[in-house]
Amino acid sequence: MTPTLPTGCVIAVLGAESTGKTELATALVQRLRERGMPTTMVGEYLREWCEREGRTPRPDEQQAIADEQTRRINAAAVTGVVVADTTAVMTAVYSELLFDDRSLYADALAAQRRCAITLLTALDIPWVADGLQRDGPHVREPVDAMVRSALTSASCAFAVVHGTGAERLASAWNAINAIAGGEGRARARGRSDAKPASWSWPCEKCSDPECEHRLFTDLIGRRE
């Protein structure tokens, strides 16, 4: 039986450049849809902007790009589950890295805290040139460190996703189940503010669609 899920659950995929965010987000959308969950993917607005303008943005254009990314995620969340291929946090990080501008963090992190799940792609796949917004492999480690620092300082929980191809998807899916399952077990113990002790998911049926439906229904229902 296919459940009717509440709207508004956002799964955010963050990470330094060329770490497989788009590939992972696309795979997650496909799997969620296969499980009968109405899911929308919100792509990276910066890529669209660079392709349209034929250049990278100036410092004064960063805020509008971050705001549009958040607006698109919020609009998509009205009709179902959303997988976001980056959020305004990444724009804020690059604004600090390239322009020494930290002014975008407040709004970006406020929006990030509204995401149900945040996945951070690890630096374990090769860097590949792709479009105007890529700065080079040398920026991946500093960007990764800045993203982790920003999320941690704002108390935004996140799971790091490793591996390639099917292994990376399995890592992300396991993390999603861990977060959903951990929060559900915490509420059952009367600890609604508790967090899962780790990102591992002990359920032997984590690929069981009924199990997955229950976990997502439970997770999203908490945010209605």
Side-chain angles (χ1 to χ4, degrees):
M1 178 178 179
T2 301
T4 301
L5 294 179
T7 60
C9 176
V10 177
I11 301 171
V13 182
L14 305 184
E17 63 182 56
S18 193
T19 55
K21 295 188 296 296
T22 301
E23 181 180 358
L24 176 60
T26 301
L28 284 172
V29 169
Q30 180 178 346
R31 176 165 289 193
L32 288 165
R33 288 175 178 170
E34 288 172 352
R35 269 61 177 178
M37 302 176 197
T39 306
T40 300
M41 177 168 165
V42 175
E44 182 182 21
Y45 176 62
L46 174 61
R47 177 184 295 275
E48 177 185 324
W49 193 98
C50 290
E51 290 176 350
R52 184 183 70 234
E53 301 296 328
R55 62 178 176 86
T56 56
R58 301 188 305 266
D60 60 293
E61 295 169 320
Q62 293 285 93
Q63 182 70 66
I65 290 170
D67 290 345
E68 178 62 14
Q69 185 74 40
T70 299
R71 187 197 69 78
R72 291 186 178 194
I73 292 170
N74 291 341
V78 172
T79 58
V81 177
V82 172
V83 177
D85 174 15
T86 205
T87 71
V89 167
M90 296 309 305
T91 307
V93 165
Y94 279 102
S95 288
E96 179 184 8
L97 179 73
L98 300 176
F99 308 122
D100 196 28
D101 178 9
R102 294 183 53 85
S103 65
L104 276 62
Y105 277 115
D107 289 345
L109 290 169
Q112 193 67 37
R113 281 191 288 268
R114 294 194 293 271
C115 295
I117 295 169
T118 298
L119 305 175
L120 177 63
T121 49
L123 307 180
D124 56 351
I125 60 176
W127 182 88
V128 178
D130 180 23
L132 291 169
Q133 69 270 37
R134 295 259 167 109
D135 293 298
H138 63 284
V139 304
R140 295 208 304 176
E141 288 190 8
V143 166
D144 181 75
M146 292 169 72
V147 173
R148 291 170 187 251
S149 176
L151 294 174
T152 300
S153 67
S155 299
C156 294
F158 62 95
V160 181
V161 179
H162 298 269
T164 59
E167 182 184 9
R168 205 172 190 83
L169 175 59
S171 176
W173 199 251
N174 203 44
I176 290 169
N177 283 333
I179 296 167
E183 291 186 351
R185 291 190 298 275
R187 284 195 305 282
R189 295 193 301 268
R191 297 169 55 220
S192 60
D193 61 339
K195 300 296 182 183
S198 71
W199 296 120
S200 63
W201 172 240
C203 177
E204 295 178 355
K205 298 181 179 180
C206 62
S207 61
D208 182 341
E210 292 185 4
C211 180
E212 291 157 4
H213 286 151
R214 176 180 56 76
L215 290 171
F216 273 92
T217 302
D218 192 40
L219 175 66
I220 301 170
R222 180 174 61 83
R223 289 171 167 78
E224 284 192 301

